[in-house]
Amino acid sequence: MDSERPAVRVWDFGAGQLREAGGAGGESDAYGDALGWERHRRIPVPAWHPERAELLIAGEEGVLRWTPEGVCDADGIPDGAEYQNLAFSPDGRTLWASPPAAAEDDSYEQSDAVDLDTGAVVAGPWWDTGVAEHPGGGLVLTFSSDQGATHGLFARVQHGPDSAGTPLRVLQRALILDCDGYEKPVFSADGRRFAIRGNAYDNSVDVFAFPSLERVLSTTLGDPSPGYPYPPEWLERMHAWSRHNLAFGSDPGVLWVGTPKGTLVALDLDSQEGEEHKVLDGSPVTALTATAAGELLVATAAGELALLSAPGRTADPDTAKSAVAAFLDSTSEIPEDAYEADALEEHLVVTDGFRTWSAADLDAADSATDADPSWLQIQVAVNSLRDQEP
C-alpha cells in the first residue's frame, strides 16, 4: 500500500529476491488530512488469486485487475458495484465481495458471490473483514462487524467444477469479540492457533486455539485505552502501532509482532515470553507478513522491505488437516435462508474463548458485571427492557 495516495504496489519474489513488478492506482488525490472512516474507505483493498499472478483491487476507480501484463478493468464485476471488501475463494473460481452490488441503501445483511466466468451473482452472508483460509483447507474465517460486537464466522468452502459462484457456507460455531475494528486473522502454519489484531479502541492482540476456540492470549500493545475523551499523547502512542503487524512464520508456536521501535518481537505462545530482534535501521514497522515458505517480510516507515528467515520447528501439514476435520465434525452449516434479515445470529453458537452461548442463552441473559464484555452488558440491558414491555 502507498502511504500518501490510494495505490497498491506489487513486488515479485523469485530466486529469493524482491523486485518491484508494478502496481495500480496512484492517480487519485492524496489522502491529505483524511482521517478515520473517511480515510479507511479510500484505502484500496487487494485480493490475490490463489493460483496465478492476478490481483483484483477494489478502490475509488472500481475493481481493477492487475497482472504482469498490466492493469485493466476486472471482468465479471456487476454493473454499479462499489465493493469495499474482496476475497477469492480458495480455488479462485469465485469472488466474494461486500457490500452487495444491488444494495439500494447501507443495509449490511448480505454479500455477493460472483462467478467470475459468467458474471452470475448469488447472495451470501454479510462479511467485512478479510477472508483467511485455514492451512488445512476446506475452511475459512472472516468477520461480520458491528460497533457493539464482531462475529468471527467460520465457513465451509467447496472445490471443483461445481464450486463457481458458491457463497460462504457459514457454520454454527462462531466467535464473538467485543466492539469492532479488527483486522483479518492469521493462522499458524499447523492450523492449531490463530491471531487477531484489533480493535477500534485498543491495540489488542488475541490468540485462540483451534479447533477448541479457547483463548490462549489476550493482551494490549502499548497502554490500554484510558477511556473517552482520549488524551492526545495516548492517541499518538496508539496510532504509532501498525494495524498489520502480526505474522506466524514456519514455527507454529511463535507469533511475530512488529513494533514502532523498528523491532520484531518473537512471542513464544507456550511460555508467553518474548524476545526482541532489531530490524533494518530501526524505523517503525508498518507491515509484517509471512511467505508461503514461512519467511517473514517486513516493511518499515522508511520505505524499506526486508525478507527474514525465522528459524524454528516446522509444521506437519497433516496436523492442520486433522484440526479442520475435527472442527467440521463438531458443527453444522446454517440454513441459507438465515442469511436474510439478520437471521444468521439466531443459529450461531458463539464463544469469546472463555464462555459459550447459544441464541437462547443470550435471549435469557439477565445479569452482567462491569468485568463482562460490553456486548453482553448491552444484551442484558436489551433483555431487561424487553421483559418490562406490557
Side-chain angles (χ1 to χ4, degrees), residues 13-373:
F13 173 47
Q17 299 294 321
L18 288 168
R19 177 183 64 84
E20 190 166 3
E27 296 82 12
S28 302
D29 294 337
Y31 289 118
D33 295 330
L35 296 172
W37 181 240
E38 180 185 354
R39 182 184 180 98
H40 178 78
R41 293 192 64 167
R42 296 188 61 200
I43 297 174
V45 176
W48 273 112
H49 193 282
E51 297 178 352
R52 57 179 182 259
E54 177 182 340
L55 185 69
L56 294 187
I57 304 165
E60 294 179 295
E61 299 155 351
V63 180
L64 301 178
R65 176 177 179 264
W66 177 93
T67 68
E69 287 71 42
V71 179
C72 62
D73 291 336
D75 294 331
I77 303 301
D79 292 340
E82 296 183 359
Y83 292 142
Q84 298 168 16
N85 306 285
L86 299 178
F88 279 102
S89 62
D91 64 2
R93 299 172 64 87
T94 303
L95 180 69
W96 295 319
S98 66
E104 298 179 356
D105 51 28
D106 292 332
S107 175
Y108 292 160
E109 295 177 359
Q110 293 182 324
S111 62
D112 285 347
V114 184
D115 184 332
L116 292 172
D117 291 332
T118 67
V121 179
V122 175
W126 171 255
W127 64 275
D128 63 356
T129 310
V131 177
E133 183 182 9
H134 192 281
L139 187 74
V140 297
L141 170 60
T142 186
F143 290 147
S144 174
S145 304
D146 198 350
Q147 189 172 12
T150 291
H151 287 100
L153 304 177
F154 293 91
R156 188 195 301 268
V157 293
Q158 294 179 284
H159 294 266
D162 297 330
S163 67
T166 302
L168 293 163
R169 302 298 191 196
V170 176
L171 301 168
Q172 284 187 317
R173 290 185 65 190
L175 292 176
I176 188 164
L177 306 174
D178 216 5
C179 64
D180 60 354
Y182 294 92
E183 303 296 330
K184 177 181 174 181
V186 292
F187 282 99
S188 62
D190 66 354
R192 300 306 298 263
R193 293 185 175 103
F194 59 93
I196 300 172
R197 177 73 168 84
N199 50 46
Y201 306 98
D202 273 313
N203 283 313
S204 64
V205 176
D206 294 293
V207 181
F208 293 82
F210 185 87
S212 69
L213 304 188
E214 294 177 358
R215 196 183 307 228
V216 297
L217 175 69
S218 183
T219 190
T220 300
L221 303 176
D223 299 327
S225 172
Y228 187 82
Y230 306 117
E233 58 274 13
W234 178 84
L235 281 173
E236 183 178 358
R237 291 195 299 269
M238 178 187 180
H239 292 151
W241 287 90
S242 167
R243 301 286 300 181
H244 306 279
N245 66 333
L246 300 184
F248 282 100
S250 58
D251 188 334
V254 175
L255 178 66
W256 292 85
V257 183
T259 78
K261 298 191 300 180
T263 61
L264 292 182
V265 175
L267 179 59
D268 186 307
L269 293 175
D270 292 325
S271 66
Q272 298 199 2
E273 295 180 351
E275 181 179 358
E276 195 168 29
H277 301 265
K278 293 183 178 180
V279 179
L280 298 176
D281 64 355
S283 295
V285 173
T286 55
L288 176 65
T289 190
T291 69
E295 296 143 316
L296 298 176
L297 182 61
V298 188
T300 73
E304 297 175 303
L305 290 177
L307 190 66
L308 307 175
S309 175
R313 59 191 175 95
T314 57
D316 181 352
D318 289 336
T319 301
K321 294 178 181 178
S322 297
V324 169
F327 187 82
L328 293 177
D329 286 344
S330 70
T331 188
S332 58
E333 288 186 16
I334 288 174
E336 290 184 48
D337 58 8
Y339 300 160
E340 303 176 5
D342 289 332
L344 186 69
E345 294 181 22
E346 297 176 9
H347 297 266
L348 295 178
V349 177
V350 299
T351 180
D352 63 355
F354 303 110
R355 293 174 290 176
T356 299
W357 298 266
S358 67
D361 294 331
L362 294 177
D363 284 341
D366 59 4
S367 64
T369 69
D370 291 342
D372 286 314

